[in-house]
Amino acid sequence: YPCSICKEGFYLSNSSADPYDIFENPTTYCKDCPRNANCSAGTTLESILLPAGYWRASPSSTVLYECGRFGGGDEARKTRCAGGPEAGGNGDGYCATNFTGPECQLCDA
């Protein structure tokens, strides 16, 4: 069975693709990791790792948003937007506890 994962710095755009197709055509399936994201070897579009301070709308999006400060400094945006590999519902998985919504702007009390 061929190696069907993308190397570090890339993500697999279609995790249901045939492993032989991925092996034969890696540039078709392995895409550059989005700026400010972390893609270790074996990362898929759904498992792209977001650093604290960033948010994306869904696990199928490659667009990362830097969370706004909303009156605080860098620490405030990093506190609200925890990052991580799981989008959850509508990107809420990237939010810290008690925050929700786009860029984790809303209180979830």
Side-chain angles (χ1 to χ4, degrees), residues 55 67-68 70 80-81 95 98-108:
W55 179 87
C67 295
F70 302 108
R80 282 192 338 278
C81 297
C95 298
N98 298 326
F99 292 95
T100 188
E103 295 183 37
C104 312
Q105 297 178 36
L106 306 172
C107 293
D108 185 23

Side-chain angles (χ1 to χ4, degrees), residues 11 34 45 48 50 55-65 94:
Y11 70 90
L45 174 60
I48 290 173
L50 272 61
W55 179 87
R56 67 178 176 158
S58 78
S60 61
S61 173
T62 58
V63 179
L64 275 60
Y65 297 94
Y94 302 121

Side-chain angles (χ1 to χ4, degrees), residues 73-87:
D74 280 341
E75 290 308 310
R77 70 180 179 82
K78 289 179 181 177
T79 298
R80 282 192 338 278
C81 297
E86 298 293 329

Side-chain angles (χ1 to χ4, degrees), residues 20-96:
Y20 288 98
D21 288 343
I22 298 167
F23 182 76
E24 293 292 324
N25 305 292
T27 56
T28 300
Y29 296 99
C30 295
K31 304 297 180 185
D32 287 329
C33 192
R35 201 177 109 191
N36 297 311
N38 184 337
C39 297
S40 58
T43 297
T44 64
L45 174 60
E46 298 80 12
S47 68
I48 290 173
L49 181 64
L50 272 61
Y54 287 86
W55 179 87
R56 67 178 176 158
S58 78
S60 61
S61 173
T62 58
V63 179
L64 275 60
Y65 297 94
E66 185 172 17
C67 295
R69 294 183 178 151
F70 302 108
D74 280 341
E75 290 308 310
R77 70 180 179 82
K78 289 179 181 177
T79 298
R80 282 192 338 278
C81 297
E86 298 293 329
N90 300 317
D92 290 344
Y94 302 121
C95 298

